[in-house]
Amino acid sequence: MGTVIVGSGLAGVTVAEGLRKGHPDRSVTLITTETLGVYPRPLLSHGFTREAQREKLILKTFDALRAQGIEVLSGAEVLAIDRAQKILRYGLANGDALSISYEHLVLAPGSAAFVPPSLQGQARHFFTLNSLADLDRLNQRRKAFLDKGAKPRVSILGGGLIGCEVAADLAGAGDTVSVVHGSDRLLERVLDAEGSMRLHQHFVGIGVSLHFQKRVDGIQILTPGDSPASMAFTESGRPVTSEQDILLVATGFSPRSDLARRAGLKVNRGIVVNGQFQTDDSSIFVVGDAAEVAPDPDKPGTLYPFVAPIRSQALHLVGLLTGTAQGEWTPPAFKPVLKVPGFKLTPG
Ligand SMILES: Cc1cc2nc3c(=O)[nH]c(=O)nc-3n(C[C@H](O)[C@H](O)[C@H](O)COP(=O)(O)OP(=O)(O)OC[C@H]3O[C@@H](n4cnc5c(N)ncnc54)[C@H](O)[C@@H]3O)c2cc1C
């Protein structure tokens, strides 16, 4: 028995490494669906211009974590939490069903890409970008066009942080890119109207076409046939762009909370925890994209889906579990940064 951590993203790995550091006698197990190693998700949105550096995306192999004394079960999906017996049940790709006991359980399952309900039944026609495996699939599809000397035509649904970063990167890689957005301006939650306008002009300058105030509710196959076929996002049955080769949905994130919900833990938008990341089960903690931090149990909590607060959460939890920190977590001051080459959020 010891600490078992679910998820090998920033949150899970920071907790695992922190618990081992200086505590060599502590048993730490990391269970993850990933098989490729530890990589920073923010770099995925630069995975088109920097495709040649694909190998450099892996920051650390799972063997390197094992060498630190962390037991890593990779390619393993946690399917259920038996809270009464303090056992996790997980499955391997070969169909094996296994279980492991825990003393403390840290859930760090992150988030999945949010897909609007109207598109959920058409998943085979579009891509999302949330993992290295997603990036590899997208680049494989682009390669089918590049190998023929054709520029892939890519339509991105969503003009938020990820949609804009990916649009800029794909344009930089030479693709023909369009962004389809529900609002009347880009990044309306992060930029003021002037900032959106400057980003708009930057995109026009690099050849990205923009389509605003589109209520996309479907996908139309314009040239039927085996993959690749040409298609477009639609609004009330009408295509909102010309024919596209690749559709990418970048409409936000959805905390992975199903496992916790099935185990009877409190779930809102994320898995609800107090200011010390503790769920309503005192031996189960949550950090990262999946955690909804609610210091006041009578008020809705807050999600912190960015690198800086997540690293801070993970380090604070390590301190609480090892007795080197006390009290509630205070979120660090941070601002989301838009990674679009050639565009600065503020002049100068
Ligand atoms: C394309 C992209 C660009 C981004 N850019 C930025 C940026 O510029 N700046 C910024 O601050 N943030 C950025 N973010 C957000 C940031 O990457 C996330 O907030 C952060 O990675 C979340 O870390 P996490 O550890 O909570 O979850 P994740 O990194 O999502 O990791 C969760 C892990 O849990 C595993 N897992 C899930 N369920 C199970 C299960 N049942 N069993 C076993 N394993 C499971 C998953 O395989 C995964 O490895 C970006 C995100 C994306 C997708």
Side-chain angles (χ1 to χ4, degrees):
M1 290 245 280
T3 305
V4 176
I5 300 161
V6 180
S8 62
L10 172 68
V13 171
T14 307
V15 172
E17 292 189 317
L19 287 179
R20 281 297 297 177
K21 210 171 163 188
H23 303 273
D25 47 337
R26 185 183 272 268
S27 154
V28 179
T29 305
L30 190 68
I31 309 188
T32 179
T33 49
E34 302 275 358
T35 54
L36 299 169
V38 181
Y39 57 88
R41 273 182 172 65
L43 286 191
L44 296 176
S45 34
H46 298 285
F48 308 102
T49 47
R50 299 187 199 164
E51 200 190 345
Q53 300 184 6
R54 159 73 173 70
E55 295 314 315
K56 291 190 186 157
L57 275 181
I58 307 278
L59 282 182
K60 208 169 263 187
T61 62
F62 289 135
D63 279 343
L65 288 182
R66 291 183 184 109
Q68 291 174 245
I70 298 163
E71 179 159 2
V72 181
L73 306 175
S74 62
E77 182 179 6
V78 175
L79 302 168
I81 307 167
D82 180 338
R83 288 169 51 195
Q85 295 192 66
K86 292 187 143 190
I87 285 175
L88 279 191
R89 304 197 189 282
Y90 63 96
L92 301 179
N94 64 9
D96 283 359
L98 302 165
S99 62
I100 184 171
S101 306
Y102 62 83
E103 182 188 351
H104 290 124
L105 174 62
V106 178
L107 298 177
S111 59
F114 171 78
V115 174
S118 58
L119 299 183
Q120 283 172 8
Q122 304 189 67
R124 68 186 191 286
H125 295 313
F126 62 81
F127 291 82
T128 55
L129 182 60
N130 191 51
S131 67
L132 198 46
D134 291 341
L135 177 67
D136 288 345
R137 274 192 289 271
L138 247 164
N139 273 329
Q140 205 182 345
R141 182 68 176 267
R142 290 177 63 244
K143 195 168 176 298
F145 296 92
L146 296 171
D147 285 350
K148 289 188 292 188
K151 281 180 169 195
R153 296 165 299 179
V154 187
S155 188
I156 299 169
L157 179 61
L161 275 172
I162 292 178
C164 288
E165 289 181 0
V166 173
D169 202 55
L170 284 168
D175 295 11
T176 302
V177 183
S178 57
V179 174
V180 177
H181 194 39
S183 166
D184 59 352
R185 62 184 180 91
L186 293 169
L187 268 171
E188 72 283 359
R189 291 197 204 145
V190 177
L191 300 181
D192 60 17
E194 195 252 326
S196 290
M197 181 46 69
R198 286 199 299 115
L199 183 60
H200 184 138
Q201 285 160 351
H202 178 79
F203 272 164
V204 171
I206 60 172
V208 173
S209 62
L210 301 165
H211 306 264
F212 291 106
Q213 291 180 296
K214 300 295 178 198
R215 301 267 158 253
V216 165
D217 51 13
I219 287 170
Q220 192 173 330
I221 305 299
L222 298 166
T223 313
D226 290 342
S227 165
S230 67
M231 53 205 149
F233 290 115
T234 59
E235 181 184 40
S236 307
R238 282 187 304 278
V240 297
T241 64
S242 58
E243 294 186 12
Q244 303 292 317
D245 303 312
I246 296 173
L247 302 181
L248 174 67
V249 173
T251 45
F253 71 102
S254 176
R256 291 197 182 97
S257 52
D258 285 0
L259 191 59
R261 186 179 283 112
R262 288 199 303 272
L265 297 171
K266 186 174 174 192
V267 170
N268 229 349
R269 262 199 81 198
I271 310 167
V272 178
V273 291
N274 63 19
Q276 301 193 357
F277 309 112
Q278 204 163 33
T279 62
D280 35 20
D281 179 325
S282 61
S283 47
I284 304 182
F285 301 82
V286 190
V287 279
D289 275 2
E292 178 173 327
V293 185
D296 180 341
D298 297 325
K299 291 191 182 152
T302 306
L303 301 171
Y304 295 91
F306 293 99
V307 167
I310 289 177
R311 181 172 289 120
S312 160
Q313 287 182 351
L315 293 174
H316 191 76
L317 179 60
V318 168
L320 293 171
L321 292 176
T322 56
T324 56
Q326 285 177 342
E328 301 209 332
W329 174 67
T330 311
F334 75 98
K335 259 205 268 182
V337 177
L338 178 67
K339 309 183 300 296
V340 168
F343 175 78
K344 277 206 173 128
L345 226 47
T346 46

